[in-house]
């Protein structure tokens, strides 16, 4: 695997800070009271910078790594030819599972927040269905 350059690392750090601020503010203020302005301020970036990474606050909450991140279907297709189905699925899911396991408290918070916002659930289902 190649090492990411400074620019890519900084972009990823900014995206992570915005996503974390989105989740934190949703917990503290309630989703309906969270604004892009508040998210940007909490992450110590400009309002415009927010939109360099996410199209809306919903995207920052639902897709913290970014909506353009390779999806499961793309990662499955990238597995070497001849890889067994279970091994391919395991390898494709490994990245997601590693991220989820790295911060169980944040995962619990995310599930609590997203589960409490019925309007977001169709977008999650749509994304999952597209991957299937």
């Amino acid at each position: 695997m190649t090492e990411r350059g400074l620019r890519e690392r900084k972009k990823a750090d900014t995206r992570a800070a915005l996503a974390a601020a989105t989740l934190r503010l949703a917990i503290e203020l309630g989703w309906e009271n969270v604004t892009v302005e508040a998210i940007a301020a909490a992450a110590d970036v400009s309002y415009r910078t927010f939109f360099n990474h996410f199209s809306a606050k919903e995207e920052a909450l639902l897709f913290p790594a970014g909506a353009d991140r390779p999806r499961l279907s793309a990662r499955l297709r990238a597995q070497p030819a001849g890889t067994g189905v279970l091994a391919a699925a395991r390898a494709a899911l490994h990245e997601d599972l590693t991220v989820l396991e790295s911060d169980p408290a944040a995962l619990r918070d995310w599930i609590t927040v997203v589960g409490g916002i019925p309007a977001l659930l169709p977008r999650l289902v749509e994304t999952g269905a597209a991957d299937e």
Side-chain angles (χ1 to χ4, degrees):
M1 180 187 299
T2 60
E3 185 70 26
R4 291 186 308 169
L6 177 62
R7 180 183 169 121
E8 288 303 311
R9 289 192 314 265
K10 287 182 123 184
K11 285 173 63 175
D13 289 347
T14 299
R15 184 185 303 270
L18 287 164
T22 302
L23 180 59
R24 185 176 67 253
L25 291 172
I27 293 166
E28 293 172 3
L29 306 175
W31 181 246
E32 64 281 351
N33 299 312
V34 175
T35 64
V36 170
E37 293 87 350
I39 296 166
D44 199 26
V45 300
S46 72
Y47 175 82
R48 185 173 173 173
T49 297
F50 176 91
F51 289 104
N52 289 336
H53 296 276
F54 299 105
S55 64
K57 70 179 190 175
E58 292 80 6
E59 185 179 302
L61 180 65
L62 293 177
F63 310 107
D68 59 344
R69 182 172 174 269
R71 294 167 56 148
L72 178 60
S73 55
R75 292 193 311 273
L76 278 170
R77 283 191 302 275
Q79 297 304 308
T83 303
V85 174
L86 185 56
R90 186 176 293 127
L93 288 170
H94 181 73
E95 182 181 339
D96 290 337
L97 295 175
T98 300
V99 170
L100 293 175
E101 291 173 343
S102 70
D103 192 350
L107 176 59
R108 280 191 301 276
D109 289 345
W110 184 86
I111 290 169
T112 299
V113 169
V114 172
I117 309 168
L120 295 181
L121 296 178
R123 180 119 186 244
L124 280 176
V125 170
E126 174 187 325
T127 302
D131 251 358
E132 288 178 17

